[in-house]
Amino acid sequence: MCAAITHHGIIHHHTTLGPYNTTHLIPFLDTLHNTLIPPDQHIPRVSEQDISSCQWLLTGANIGNEMRSIEFKLGRGSYMAKIFSKQVLKYGCAFLNIGGGSLLVGVQDNGVVCSLFFNHKKEDRTRLHVDDMVKDFKPPLLPHNYSLRFLPVITPGRQQHCLKVLCLTFQAPPAFAEPTLYRVGLDQVYSP
């Protein structure tokens, strides 16, 4: 038997005959987690597979680690004005050369969500800027090879509509007869 007990009594128990191994323990812990933290209060975790379907993030949540195809940038200060353009080219090229990846701005290197201020005007300017920057990629990118989204960042107890994480995702087209090496600017090549 496996049970979770507090000073208020039993929270959850699971009775199974035989040795207790991970086959029994993992479902027990999953049920206990859902009992203690209702599913509507779970903090979303972002991974390489589900970044494209993520709809919002929670302030202070740890969304995981940087990987070969996910890069986090805090983006504070003059980042958007002075550094963002160079990093779009660098990381975009690297991501395209491995098949795809995402740059998230408003997230610390350790995966903690911080957010940035993006009102509609700043979002529109950023979209136009990214559309202009992708013209530097060789071979040329088509609109379905990249997407720019601004994920709302939710802070429990506060209502702020302009705090967001910028998520720029690059997806290389399917390979044809020959592999493609993406370049930017004066034939600069990047890879992770």
Side-chain angles (χ1 to χ4, degrees), residues 133-153:
M133 282 187 288
V134 298
K135 293 175 186 173
D136 286 346
F137 285 88
K138 298 172 197 152
L141 294 183
L142 297 173
H144 64 272
N145 295 128
Y146 68 98
S147 66
L148 176 61
R149 296 182 308 129
F150 295 88
L151 302 172
V153 176

Side-chain angles (χ1 to χ4, degrees), residues 72-93:
F72 301 144
K73 295 295 175 190
L74 186 56
R76 297 280 165 90
S78 60
Y79 175 86
M80 292 302 292
K82 295 184 178 179
I83 301 169
F84 179 66
S85 297
K86 292 175 189 168
Q87 293 198 331
V88 166
L89 297 175
K90 175 183 174 182
Y91 290 106
C93 183

Side-chain angles (χ1 to χ4, degrees), residues 17-70:
L17 295 174
Y20 239 86
N21 57 30
T22 54
T23 305
H24 300 290
L25 190 56
I26 291 176
F28 168 78
L29 292 174
D30 191 44
T31 303
L32 178 61
H33 180 260
N34 288 335
T35 302
L36 294 173
I37 303 171
D40 63 335
Q41 294 179 11
H42 289 183
I43 294 172
R45 306 276 299 169
V46 175
S47 71
E48 186 174 7
Q49 290 77 30
D50 65 10
I51 187 67
S52 61
S53 64
C54 187
Q55 299 300 311
W56 57 273
L57 298 168
L58 193 61
T59 300
N62 187 311
I63 59 172
N65 298 315
E66 290 180 324
M67 295 183 273
R68 189 171 179 216
S69 60
I70 295 181

Side-chain angles (χ1 to χ4, degrees), residues 75-189:
R76 297 280 165 90
S78 60
Y79 175 86
M80 292 302 292
K82 295 184 178 179
I83 301 169
F84 179 66
S85 297
K86 292 175 189 168
Q87 293 198 331
V88 166
L89 297 175
K90 175 183 174 182
Y91 290 106
C93 183
F95 292 149
L96 288 164
N97 284 328
I98 62 165
S102 297
L103 172 66
L104 281 83
V105 181
V107 179
Q108 294 178 21
D109 285 339
N110 63 1
V112 174
V113 174
C114 294
S115 76
L116 294 174
F117 177 83
F118 282 102
N119 59 19
H120 291 297
K121 187 175 180 178
K122 191 170 180 182
E123 282 185 29
D124 290 342
R125 275 197 319 260
T126 304
R127 286 182 198 286
L128 291 171
H129 188 58
V130 169
D131 287 343
D132 193 46
M133 282 187 288
V134 298
K135 293 175 186 173
D136 286 346
F137 285 88
K138 298 172 197 152
L141 294 183
L142 297 173
H144 64 272
N145 295 128
Y146 68 98
S147 66
L148 176 61
R149 296 182 308 129
F150 295 88
L151 302 172
V153 176
I154 297 170
T155 303
R158 291 188 185 166
Q159 209 173 15
Q160 295 177 328
H161 301 290
C162 296
L163 294 180
K164 300 180 181 167
V165 166
L166 179 152
C167 179
L168 179 56
T169 301
F170 290 88
Q171 183 63 50
F176 295 106
E178 295 181 23
T180 303
L181 182 64
Y182 284 88
R183 305 170 314 279
V184 292
L186 301 171
D187 286 337
Q188 296 168 307
V189 176

